Amino acid sequence: MEDEGTRGVRGTSADRVPGPAVPPPPSGPPRQPWPGQPAPGRPPAGEPGGPRPAPGEPPATPGAPWGVQPSAWTSPPPPPGPPPARPASQPPPVEQPSAGAPALDAWLRTPRPPQAPGVWRFGFTPRPAEQGEEVSDRSLLVGAVITLLSALLLWSLWRNGYLPYRLVPLKLFTPGEWWNPGTSGGPRTIEGSDALTVYEALLFGLLAYGCGRIGNFSELFRRHVVSRGQPFLALAAAVAAGLTQLLVWKETLPVVRPVLVLVAAVAGGEIYQSQTVVNVIYALIAAAVLYPFALLGRWRDLLAARKGAVTPAPADTASASSTVTSADQWPELRAAGWTDAADTLTAEVRTGRMNDVDVARLRHAWTQATRSPDRLAPLAEAVLRTGGAAALHPSGDRDLPRRTARHDVLTGQVRIGRCADDPHNPYARRSTGIALDPTLLGTSLLAVGPPGSGKSARLVRPVVEALGLRALAGQAAVLAVGGAGAPVGPDEAFDVVVRVGNPASAHDLDLYGGTTDPDEAAAVLAEGLVGDVGSLDSRRAATVLAQLLGPYRTAHGHFPSVPELRELLDGTPAALTALRAALETAGHQAMLRELEARTRQAGGPGDPAPALADRVALLDRPAFAGFFATGPDARPFALRSLGQYPLRVRVDLPERGHAEASRLLTRLLLAQFTAITAARTDTTLFVGLVLDDATHAVTAETVRGIRRLRSVNAGAVLTLRTVDDVPEALHTPLLGAVGCTAAFSGITTWDGKRFAEAWGKEWVETREVAQHTVFADQPFTRALHALRKLVTGKAVTTDAVTVRQVERERWSASELAYAVPAGHAVIRLTTVEGEHAPPLLVELGG
């Protein structure tokens, strides 16, 4: 779907950046198209409307693998010299954003702080610290009222002289002539009256403080006043301040007289002869009473907010302070002296002619160019000419046709859900986003769940999209394998689409992975053909295949096709005689010995050739006729290209009509992937394999290959309906080989037991509380218990608490089988550096 030249992005949140609003200018002459990419005005070969090459017709792009030339990535280098200036014909960058331009600059400036594995870093804000169990509103309110009434009663008793010995503390620290005789005698002199006034004020302050603490008035104020925000907070504080001022000046609260007495004691009574001094003292008292309420009501913040809304800060000052060192100014280019290129890209960002993929691609291209200084000038010149369209992916795409998940291309993260607010999850991780990135996928991921649990739509497709976006940024290559119609993305989101058994497919599949070494091809092919047969040794099967593949390639220059390989494995006399004659004619004695050894071993006990021939027969069907051709007229897709180019490849398997053949091909692709990625020398490109259904595809050799992926910057995502789809002997090795595991809702207790064992146990603190009701015998005690029950709503009990440290499973098998809600999964994540997160209950898509 196109909308004024922009690629649609699902959702309208600020962190989803739409495609460029203005089509980029041409970056140079047209590039050589990749196989399957149609030339302008011409449909691709094999597609509806496009012819499929007939046998004997040469391939579309001979001699150039995938048609990718170095010129497709960078423009021709300019002559050496200082950084190129902007051409005179090029207009200066427009600094004002156009209407409807995406907020890419804000997206660039959004913080992405480092976090624990799997935390969605885009705009992350930590969760507030955990608080204890809150008191109910009923208990809080009743307790505050009872405390206030008790304080008023105590103050009334004190003021009216009903409390004995109330003046004894004061008389101990003052002269005796100030007081009348006796413990209850009042003041005799004016000094005694003044001391009593100050004494009463101090006692009132202590009583008010104790009442506030015991009645928990601060929590009541926070919960029912502060939580409402402004302007309710300021208004409530103003009402309380007015009521307090009234009580102070009515002398109901002992404030004014004690202050006047203290001032007279310090400065002398003559100070009150001046009315101005008296007015100043009264003003200070009023201000001192208002100040606490001004702090509680946050009057200053409210006034500042109102003033800021009326008179905003100058735009130039605000923008300068916020963008001087921001990411949308391309500080890495400016620091290297390429100011013109940085200005061009800044204008592209602000005018909406770039998207998030462009930013990630150009940053990656700049990082790669800094490692080879001779590439900096061509890149800068390309930026000056084409802006955000520089260093394009060979396909010419700048975004995916459609996104179904939230992506942060700068960090490579794709959000798959959020942590549920569940006691199994640590408090700090609850409600935080969960995301996957190459540092996690590099340890490989195994997802197990029944059909309909969301593995494909909520895990596989987001991962394929994320790797596809990184491929457009030149940082990754992806191979997605699934059944025909699997929801892994539309055809437009891939560079190569292989539809096995479909005559309309523009590409065939190379059974040998693009290798020219017969031994390597034999080892991988044997793993794909009979790797799941426990009674056969895959090494013996590889030896049998090598004894046939080597002589055949030596004689014909290519490996045999499926029908020819089947005839050789069956030991057809005509096929073996023709191969022997070709070797004798060319004088290849070494290969003749290989062929003779195969002839001698044929038919012996334990010969794996018949089993290999039976498996090859699954591919020698009319539906696959000519699909696995290997001659000069063939046009297969070689998996080896994934390690060299940022390709996006999808392989559709015919699961419905040829289920066994699909499993064989899945096993073969997994074996080829692990072998090819382990053998590559340049590991700067992340290579990811996504198997939408890995049933009967995992073998002992591929498990060992999956362990090696993290050291070569590669990873695999495997999904299973149940762990029993893997041979029982491989259950433990497979769960130990992958660093990330996911148990979806609906798994059985048998699968849950395996995950619980793999995730291990943890030490937890358990508290056992035994409550015993307290029965009172005395009337006064019963009255106190009744009052406490009125306040708390609970009977008076005593608790016997037992605290122990015990070791428990993080998730038990029963909890995984029955306590995981629909649409959720329990996911454990590990990075390639060894950091790990505990198993987390994740709400998928949240």
PDB file of all heavy atoms in Angstrom, residues 313-324:
ATOM      1  N   ALA A 313       9.477  30.229  26.000  1.00  0.00           N
ATOM      2  CA  ALA A 313      10.856  30.627  25.759  1.00  0.00           C
ATOM      3  C   ALA A 313      11.072  30.840  24.276  1.00  0.00           C
ATOM      4  O   ALA A 313      10.388  30.260  23.425  1.00  0.00           O
ATOM      5  CB  ALA A 313      11.804  29.545  26.276  1.00  0.00           C
ATOM      6  N   PRO A 314      12.030  31.687  23.891  1.00  0.00           N
ATOM      7  CA  PRO A 314      12.310  31.905  22.466  1.00  0.00           C
ATOM      8  C   PRO A 314      12.637  30.590  21.776  1.00  0.00           C
ATOM      9  O   PRO A 314      13.344  29.742  22.299  1.00  0.00           O
ATOM     10  CB  PRO A 314      13.507  32.862  22.498  1.00  0.00           C
ATOM     11  CG  PRO A 314      13.423  33.539  23.836  1.00  0.00           C
ATOM     12  CD  PRO A 314      12.842  32.522  24.770  1.00  0.00           C
ATOM     13  N   ALA A 315      12.097  30.449  20.546  1.00  0.00           N
ATOM     14  CA  ALA A 315      12.255  29.182  19.820  1.00  0.00           C
ATOM     15  C   ALA A 315      13.699  28.913  19.461  1.00  0.00           C
ATOM     16  O   ALA A 315      14.168  27.785  19.516  1.00  0.00           O
ATOM     17  CB  ALA A 315      11.387  29.201  18.560  1.00  0.00           C
ATOM     18  N   ASP A 316      14.422  29.971  19.066  1.00  0.00           N
ATOM     19  CA  ASP A 316      15.797  29.736  18.650  1.00  0.00           C
ATOM     20  C   ASP A 316      16.659  29.280  19.816  1.00  0.00           C
ATOM     21  O   ASP A 316      17.501  28.403  19.679  1.00  0.00           O
ATOM     22  CB  ASP A 316      16.369  31.014  18.020  1.00  0.00           C
ATOM     23  CG  ASP A 316      16.211  32.213  18.954  1.00  0.00           C
ATOM     24  OD1 ASP A 316      15.517  32.064  19.999  1.00  0.00           O
ATOM     25  OD2 ASP A 316      16.764  33.280  18.637  1.00  0.00           O
ATOM     26  N   THR A 317      16.398  29.886  21.034  1.00  0.00           N
ATOM     27  CA  THR A 317      17.182  29.470  22.194  1.00  0.00           C
ATOM     28  C   THR A 317      16.876  28.040  22.591  1.00  0.00           C
ATOM     29  O   THR A 317      17.770  27.242  22.876  1.00  0.00           O
ATOM     30  CB  THR A 317      16.898  30.411  23.379  1.00  0.00           C
ATOM     31  OG1 THR A 317      17.149  31.750  22.978  1.00  0.00           O
ATOM     32  CG2 THR A 317      17.741  30.051  24.578  1.00  0.00           C
ATOM     33  N   ALA A 318      15.564  27.695  22.581  1.00  0.00           N
ATOM     34  CA  ALA A 318      15.184  26.327  22.955  1.00  0.00           C
ATOM     35  C   ALA A 318      15.742  25.317  21.978  1.00  0.00           C
ATOM     36  O   ALA A 318      16.264  24.278  22.357  1.00  0.00           O
ATOM     37  CB  ALA A 318      13.664  26.219  23.027  1.00  0.00           C
ATOM     38  N   SER A 319      15.611  25.605  20.675  1.00  0.00           N
ATOM     39  CA  SER A 319      16.105  24.643  19.687  1.00  0.00           C
ATOM     40  C   SER A 319      17.611  24.513  19.743  1.00  0.00           C
ATOM     41  O   SER A 319      18.157  23.429  19.588  1.00  0.00           O
ATOM     42  CB  SER A 319      15.668  25.073  18.283  1.00  0.00           C
ATOM     43  OG  SER A 319      16.216  26.356  17.977  1.00  0.00           O
ATOM     44  N   ALA A 320      18.291  25.638  19.991  1.00  0.00           N
ATOM     45  CA  ALA A 320      19.751  25.565  20.040  1.00  0.00           C
ATOM     46  C   ALA A 320      20.221  24.745  21.227  1.00  0.00           C
ATOM     47  O   ALA A 320      21.143  23.939  21.115  1.00  0.00           O
ATOM     48  CB  ALA A 320      20.338  26.983  20.109  1.00  0.00           C
ATOM     49  N   SER A 321      19.533  24.927  22.378  1.00  0.00           N
ATOM     50  CA  SER A 321      19.971  24.189  23.554  1.00  0.00           C
ATOM     51  C   SER A 321      19.666  22.709  23.455  1.00  0.00           C
ATOM     52  O   SER A 321      20.309  21.907  24.115  1.00  0.00           O
ATOM     53  CB  SER A 321      19.289  24.763  24.803  1.00  0.00           C
ATOM     54  OG  SER A 321      17.882  24.629  24.673  1.00  0.00           O
ATOM     55  N   SER A 322      18.650  22.323  22.638  1.00  0.00           N
ATOM     56  CA  SER A 322      18.251  20.920  22.580  1.00  0.00           C
ATOM     57  C   SER A 322      18.882  20.166  21.433  1.00  0.00           C
ATOM     58  O   SER A 322      18.828  18.951  21.416  1.00  0.00           O
ATOM     59  CB  SER A 322      16.725  20.825  22.468  1.00  0.00           C
ATOM     60  OG  SER A 322      16.283  21.460  21.286  1.00  0.00           O
ATOM     61  N   THR A 323      19.453  20.865  20.444  1.00  0.00           N
ATOM     62  CA  THR A 323      19.944  20.156  19.266  1.00  0.00           C
ATOM     63  C   THR A 323      21.415  20.382  18.985  1.00  0.00           C
ATOM     64  O   THR A 323      21.908  19.917  17.971  1.00  0.00           O
ATOM     65  CB  THR A 323      19.140  20.598  18.023  1.00  0.00           C
ATOM     66  OG1 THR A 323      19.320  22.005  17.826  1.00  0.00           O
ATOM     67  CG2 THR A 323      17.650  20.316  18.212  1.00  0.00           C
ATOM     68  N   VAL A 324      22.119  21.092  19.865  1.00  0.00           N
ATOM     69  CA  VAL A 324      23.523  21.344  19.577  1.00  0.00           C
ATOM     70  C   VAL A 324      24.303  20.040  19.510  1.00  0.00           C
ATOM     71  O   VAL A 324      25.097  19.808  18.607  1.00  0.00           O
ATOM     72  CB  VAL A 324      24.106  22.311  20.642  1.00  0.00           C
ATOM     73  CG1 VAL A 324      25.616  22.353  20.539  1.00  0.00           C
ATOM     74  CG2 VAL A 324      23.521  23.698  20.459  1.00  0.00           C
TER      75      VAL A 324
END
